[in-house]
Amino acid sequence: MFAIAIHGGAGTLSRAGTSADQEAAYLQGLESALDAGYSLLHEGGSSLDAVTAAVVSLEDNPLFNAGRGAVLSRDGLAELDASIMDGATLAAGAVCGLRHIRNPITLARRVMDRSPHVMLVGEGAEDFARNQGVELVSNEYFRTDIRQRQLHRLLQGAAEKENDLLAHGPASGIDAGMGTVGAVALDARGNVAAATSTGGMTGKRWGRVGDSPIIGAGTYASNGGCAVSATGHGEYFIRAVVAHDISAQMQYAKLTLAESVKNTLARMKALGGNGGVVAIAPDGEIVLDFNSEGMFRGVRSSGGRREVSIYR
Amino acid sequence: MFAIAIHGGAGTLSRAGTSADQEAAYLQGLESALDAGYSLLHEGGSSLDAVTAAVVSLEDNPLFNAGRGAVLSRDGLAELDASIMDGATLAAGAVCGLRHIRNPITLARRVMDRSPHVMLVGEGAEDFARNQGVELVSNEYFRTDIRQRQLHRLLQGAAEKENDLLAHGPASGIDAGMGTVGAVALDARGNVAAATSTGGMTGKRWGRVGDSPIIGAGTYASNGGCAVSATGHGEYFIRAVVAHDISAQMQYAKLTLAESVKNTLARMKALGGNGGVVAIAPDGEIVLDFNSEGMFRGVRSSGGRREVSIYR
């Protein structure tokens, strides 16, 4: 048994105002990311390599809020966060506040594999990248027209209800300016892994960091529990320690993965948050769940499961 | 019933090479921090205010690795991290990579109370501080002679075994250049809270961040479980999601606080880490535990418990 599940963000995705062409492009992006990860698993590769490959594919796709196509901060810059975790060893790597790293998830992986640290931040993280021979790119590489327009719209409204917009995010259309990409996988050796990458929240400022680079919140993996990658309103995912909370319920309360996910998302929603997760357990149970209107998501398993979808 | 427990860091504290005067100064620093927090609880104040006051006291004391007296990065700068969490509401605030904020814990508190965010990083976090009318200080405010000498010693040895030193930290004396300060409290209304603040690791670079500003790792509080503040080798505390893992075992496995702490520290030690925690549950159970040679620690309760200590 081996499998991979991915997400490309969750939020207020409305069918109204979204063309069939747009939907098809998102679904194709999800298929490509599944291809990248699943083909490695099929060749006997590790869950860690599979989630890395899937997230790189989503980072390179300008439709999703990670890597190229990331949303822009109030200063008009892309600021990228990512994290990765190996369920077999509990090794982890995380980076945040990057402005010049093409694939943040591969830098998170290098932090895990080649440094004594787990989390590196900002310019220091980019110094580490240089030290590792990683090519740095201009911030312009990440910026797309659609993200510039989203920022412009946000800033136009911002004078009136600044905190409200920052707290709740812009709320219309399929490209609503929040979101994250992520993947979880189970390989043939029974090891799980998780990876998450994001551009954060349109118009963010003050060095705001969400849950994506936080081990335990946006990303967690343990063969003793499960692997989780989260997407949604990051502040609530940090406060509910969502990814670890799901794994902990399997480990300590002996719940199934589906029950654990349901309980954690309910508690997070009670705090006021919305979003979703993809999760996989060593026994092969796979869950893609969310309390928002939609979540870009996909799954492929050696058991023959193969789906991509957006809405409920 | 109300109580407060604090720590001032854990690590390779050796009685040999430590004078009675030095020990007395550390113990006095712990007493002062307990005074600051306990007096608020005694007047009917909240656990949140008590942990804030205790941590401010430890930040202001140059003996401890937080605020003034923080260890220095490879560039010779103090870079400060802190986080705080309210067990009644699961509200949380965190800041990291600060260079000009006298009391990082009070900025973490402001992030929690006055922003829609949980975590702010680096210069952005300091812009938020300015926006809030917080006075910024020169980085020189934090730097003490002893920390300059520790950095110098580390860098002299660093040419030979650079990663090893960064991974394990310098390993001698009571002021060994690692450590954290923190507090947990239970107030008369039955609410728990936790707060943690640090200068990180001597000679750190690449924007390295440990567990102290990570909600779930270095700090966690929930009335449904317990409040925890951790200190030690941060990378392992992040990977083991120590603070939340302790609370989750109480909540999901129905273990006592002491059992939960013991299990989590054992798992963290199995990964290779060392350090300790202070923790308190809404029923009044208090635990100060560590797997290192010592931990600066203290506790005071309305039940009459009153101690400060360093070694096992």
Side-chain angles (χ1 to χ4, degrees):
Chain A
M1 168 69 184
F2 52 88
I4 183 166
I6 63 172
H7 67 78
T12 51
L13 316 171
S14 61
R15 269 204 176 87
T18 304
S19 73
D21 280 358
Q22 275 183 306
E23 287 182 13
Y26 279 97
L27 293 172
Q28 180 52 50
L30 294 169
E31 289 283 6
S32 299
L34 285 171
D35 285 343
Y38 190 80
S39 62
L40 288 174
L41 293 172
H42 190 259
E43 292 158 12
S46 71
S47 53
L48 206 53
D49 286 341
V51 296
T52 304
V55 169
V56 163
S57 173
L58 292 162
E59 285 178 340
D60 289 344
N61 187 328
L63 291 175
F64 298 100
N65 177 20
R68 180 158 159 72
V71 301
L72 304 180
S73 73
R74 182 156 301 226
D75 298 331
L77 295 172
E79 288 181 352
L80 311 161
D81 310 325
S83 64
I84 189 165
M85 189 160 185
D86 178 355
T89 62
L90 303 184
V95 286
C96 74
L98 306 179
R99 293 180 175 179
H100 306 97
I101 304 296
R102 187 186 297 261
N103 289 110
I105 199 66
T106 61
L107 188 61
R109 178 82 187 266
R110 273 179 195 254
V111 171
M112 180 177 103
D113 290 341
R114 303 190 192 177
S115 90
H117 302 309
V118 170
M119 189 171 197
L120 303 182
V121 175
E123 289 175 20
E126 297 193 342
D127 287 345
F128 171 74
R130 265 186 217 96
N131 176 283
Q132 288 285 312
V134 174
E135 182 202 3
L136 271 65
V137 298
S138 157
N139 196 262
E140 285 173 25
Y141 163 77
F142 302 103
R143 306 204 300 255
T144 60
D145 287 349
I146 190 166
R147 299 308 188 189
Q148 310 260 22
R149 286 198 298 275
Q150 283 173 355
L151 177 63
H152 184 68
R153 282 201 303 273
L154 177 79
L155 294 181
Q156 279 190 319
E160 282 173 47
K161 40 177 185 170
E162 187 167 301
N163 273 353
D164 194 56
L165 276 160
L166 273 167
H168 303 295
S172 64
I174 198 168
D175 52 0
M178 286 178 73
T180 308
V181 309
V184 294
L186 168 66
D187 62 31
R189 284 179 295 285
N191 294 322
V192 295
T196 311
S197 181
T198 193
M201 191 181 271
T202 299
K204 66 183 178 181
R205 59 176 177 169
W206 298 328
R208 178 263 184 186
V209 171
D211 63 315
S212 302
I214 306 295
I215 298 298
T219 303
Y220 184 75
S222 168
N223 285 355
C226 59
V228 180
S229 173
T231 177
H233 198 152
E235 278 71 9
Y236 297 95
F237 284 71
I238 295 176
R239 291 168 57 196
V241 199
V242 163
H244 183 260
D245 194 58
I246 292 168
S247 184
Q249 285 175 85
M250 294 191 72
Q251 198 162 3
Y252 302 134
K254 307 299 178 195
L255 299 186
T256 65
L257 180 59
E259 291 164 342
S260 301
V261 167
K262 195 177 162 208
N263 291 344
T264 299
L265 289 183
R267 278 191 286 267
M268 195 266 303
K269 192 180 181 69
L271 293 176
N274 67 74
V277 300
V278 294
I280 194 163
D283 68 2
E285 189 182 356
I286 304 166
V287 173
L288 303 88
D289 200 3
F290 52 98
N291 62 26
S292 44
E293 290 173 37
M295 180 168 79
F296 298 105
R297 61 199 186 277
V299 58
R300 203 173 291 178
S301 80
S302 61
R305 193 169 166 190
R306 186 180 175 127
E307 336 164 350
V308 290
S309 46
I310 302 176
Y311 310 106
R312 214 163 257 294
Chain B
M1 168 70 185
F2 52 88
I4 183 166
I6 63 170
H7 66 79
T12 50
L13 315 170
S14 61
R15 268 203 176 85
T18 305
S19 73
D21 281 358
Q22 275 182 308
E23 287 182 11
Y26 279 96
L27 293 172
Q28 181 51 51
L30 294 168
E31 289 283 6
S32 299
L34 285 171
D35 285 344
Y38 190 80
S39 62
L40 288 174
L41 293 172
H42 190 259
E43 292 159 12
S46 71
S47 53
L48 206 53
D49 285 341
V51 296
T52 304
V55 169
V56 163
S57 173
L58 292 162
E59 284 178 339
D60 288 345
N61 187 327
L63 292 174
F64 299 99
N65 177 22
R68 182 160 158 72
V71 302
L72 303 180
S73 72
R74 182 157 300 227
D75 298 331
L77 296 171
E79 288 180 351
L80 312 161
D81 311 324
S83 64
I84 189 165
M85 190 160 182
D86 178 355
T89 62
L90 303 183
V95 286
C96 75
L98 305 179
R99 294 180 174 180
H100 306 97
I101 304 296
R102 187 187 297 260
N103 290 110
I105 199 65
T106 61
L107 188 60
R109 178 82 186 268
R110 275 179 192 252
V111 171
M112 180 177 101
D113 290 342
R114 302 189 193 178
S115 90
H117 302 309
V118 169
M119 188 170 199
L120 302 182
V121 175
E123 288 176 20
E126 298 193 344
D127 287 343
F128 171 74
R130 265 187 217 96
N131 176 282
Q132 289 286 312
V134 174
E135 183 203 2
L136 272 63
V137 299
S138 156
N139 197 263
E140 284 172 25
Y141 162 78
F142 302 103
R143 306 202 301 253
T144 60
D145 287 350
I146 191 165
R147 299 308 189 188
Q148 310 258 21
R149 288 198 297 274
Q150 284 173 354
L151 177 63
H152 184 69
R153 283 202 303 274
L154 177 79
L155 294 181
Q156 280 189 320
E160 281 174 48
K161 40 178 183 169
E162 183 167 307
N163 272 351
D164 195 56
L165 275 160
L166 273 168
H168 303 295
S172 65
I174 199 170
D175 53 359
M178 285 177 74
T180 307
V181 308
V184 293
L186 167 66
D187 62 31
R189 283 178 296 284
N191 294 323
V192 296
T196 311
S197 180
T198 192
M201 191 181 270
T202 298
K204 67 184 177 180
R205 60 174 174 169
W206 298 328
R208 179 262 184 188
V209 171
D211 62 316
S212 301
I214 307 294
I215 298 300
T219 302
Y220 184 74
S222 168
N223 285 357
C226 60
V228 180
S229 172
T231 176
H233 197 152
E235 278 72 8
Y236 298 95
F237 283 71
I238 296 176
R239 292 169 56 195
V241 198
V242 163
H244 183 261
D245 194 59
I246 293 168
S247 185
Q249 285 175 86
M250 296 190 71
Q251 199 162 1
Y252 301 134
K254 307 298 176 194
L255 299 185
T256 66
L257 181 59
E259 291 164 342
S260 302
V261 168
K262 195 177 163 209
N263 291 345
T264 299
L265 288 183
R267 278 191 286 265
M268 195 265 306
K269 193 181 180 69
L271 293 177
N274 66 75
V277 299
V278 293
I280 194 163
D283 68 1
E285 188 181 357
I286 303 166
V287 173
L288 304 87
D289 198 5
F290 51 98
N291 62 27
S292 46
E293 289 174 38
M295 178 168 80
F296 299 105
R297 63 200 185 276
V299 59
R300 203 173 293 176
S301 80
S302 60
R305 191 168 168 192
R306 189 180 171 128
E307 332 163 356
V308 291
S309 47
I310 303 176
Y311 310 106
R312 215 162 254 293

